[in-house]
DNA sequence: ATTGAGATTGAGACTAAATCTCAATAAATT
DNA sequence: AATTTATTGAGATTTAGTCTCAATCTCAAT
């Protein structure tokens, strides 16, 4: 079982790039999250650990992490892309509550299978997909709503 | 059968707003498209008809059209949101070719139904959803690829 | 250990999308 | 007609993201 480091390192090597301290710190921080994050979450968390990585470097590193298959963009919220690490986690899709901003994850094998069928019909080779359902969660429908802002898909 | 104008007008009235010449022109142009469009497509098409509406007004009107349920954002391409009118059209989802940028539309009732089931399980009330599959279309997989740039979901 | 080629970084300049401000205009209301 | 409120366009402003470049680091070959 390879670690995320192994994978990132292999990817970087394959491109003639190095695993620097900054990239390593970003990688480590990404995998320390147990939730979806945006660039500023990363930046803040790194500083909170008294490490110092510039925003420019984070902007540069995110595409590398995506290309190496370690993270993916999941949705856009407050006009910013949000990411999640995917290595070691099952694929899943998202429901985003327009009331409280909560993000629910779900996976339905039947939907996944049907997507493959549709792609086959069209002769389309799927590389990646994203299903985002926006609406209102149980708590927001029933009880009192604490508005935290709407989220985009 | 209401026209898009009726709907937009009703929405505007409900908010104490007026259907001005500019808003009317934007509405008309939106429904003259038979493809997905972004803000500049709108701007250019309006000017091509020798009408004059500022970008600021278009930026202001798009949210109104979305809130009134006439258009929706469908994906992001070249870092810009793209829209489509939805009034009078069946709901559908999209496949986006990473090779040529082509956008294919599909609808699978079974997938739609399963989404409803999943929402019910979670007690989640769906308002809207978006399924985007990115990959390679038949032509790009077989023949020669004419790269036109990648598209985002 | 030294060296040189190439990779990397951070700071700040730059770009471009989107929002905001505001004075002038238009529409609705009285 | 007068008053109020909505609307517009131009340009200023904000902000996410990219680009530039000089200084620094990495690594592989001596
Ligand atoms: Zn909620
Ligand atoms: Zn997730
Ligand atoms: Zn294609
Ligand atoms: Zn469509």
């Amino acid at each position: 079982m390879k670690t995320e480091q192994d994978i990132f390192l292999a990817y970087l090597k394959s491109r003639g790039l190095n695993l620097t301290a900054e990239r390593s710190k970003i990688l480590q921080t990404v995998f320390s999250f147990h939730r979806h994050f945006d660039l500023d979450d990363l930046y803040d968390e790194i500083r909170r650990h008294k490490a110092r990585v510039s925003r420019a470097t984070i902007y540069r590193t995110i595409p590398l992490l995506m290309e190496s298959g370690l993270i993916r963009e999941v949705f856009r919220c407050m006009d910013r892309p949000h990411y999640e690490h995917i290595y070691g986690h099952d694929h899943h899709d998202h429901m985003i509550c327009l009331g409280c901003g909560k993000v629910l994850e779900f996976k339905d094998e039947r939907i996944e299978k049907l997507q493959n069928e549709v792609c086959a019909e069209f002769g389309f080779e799927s590389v990646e997909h994203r299903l985002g359902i926006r609406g209102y969660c149980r708590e927001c429908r029933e009880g009192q709503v604490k508005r935290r802002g709407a989220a985009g898909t």
Side-chain angles (χ1 to χ4, degrees), chain A:
Chain A
M1 176 73 169
K2 289 194 214 158
T3 65
E4 351 2 312
Q5 276 240 5
D6 294 336
I7 293 181
F8 198 30
L9 185 56
Y11 169 77
L12 291 170
K13 283 303 164 209
S14 81
R15 290 208 30 196
L17 307 175
N18 308 313
L19 182 55
T20 63
E22 288 82 359
R23 286 175 182 153
S24 186
K25 187 68 195 172
I26 293 170
L27 177 68
Q28 175 201 322
T29 306
V30 159
F31 278 85
S32 78
F33 284 132
H34 295 299
R35 54 187 172 92
H36 307 97
F37 61 90
D38 66 10
L39 190 133
D40 277 343
D41 292 330
L42 251 180
Y43 183 77
D44 294 343
E45 182 67 7
I46 289 172
R47 301 207 101 217
R48 215 169 61 74
H49 287 7
K50 28 191 175 290
R52 221 164 286 281
V53 178
S54 73
R55 270 174 219 283
T57 296
I58 300 180
Y59 272 116
R60 287 168 181 136
T61 304
I62 285 176
L64 299 177
L65 289 168
M66 293 214 285
E67 281 155 36
S68 62
L70 291 169
I71 69 173
R72 70 164 182 150
E73 191 184 321
V74 274
F75 49 78
R76 181 167 283 262
C77 182
M78 314 306 277
D79 242 325
R80 288 186 195 157
H82 283 61
Y83 309 90
E84 69 184 4
H85 55 247
I86 51 180
Y87 182 64
H89 291 267
D90 272 355
H91 164 79
H92 58 263
D93 291 298
H94 299 90
M95 297 177 186
I96 301 124
C97 179
L98 298 169
C100 64
K102 193 187 309 165
V103 176
L104 304 174
E105 306 191 330
F106 71 92
K107 164 141 201 195
D108 190 299
E109 292 293 356
R110 298 166 300 174
I111 293 179
E112 303 289 326
K113 188 151 175 288
L114 287 170
Q115 283 180 44
N116 291 338
E117 281 182 30
V118 173
C119 285
E121 274 172 41
F122 279 77
F124 194 88
E125 178 195 341
S126 168
V127 169
E128 189 245 350
H129 73 266
R130 224 149 98 190
L131 169 57
I133 304 179
R134 301 200 297 152
Y136 294 93
C137 71
R138 194 193 304 275
E139 289 69 36
C140 286
R141 290 171 61 198
E142 295 171 351
Q144 187 42 45
V145 188
K146 35 173 174 149
R147 291 232 160 227
R148 217 193 291 167
T153 301

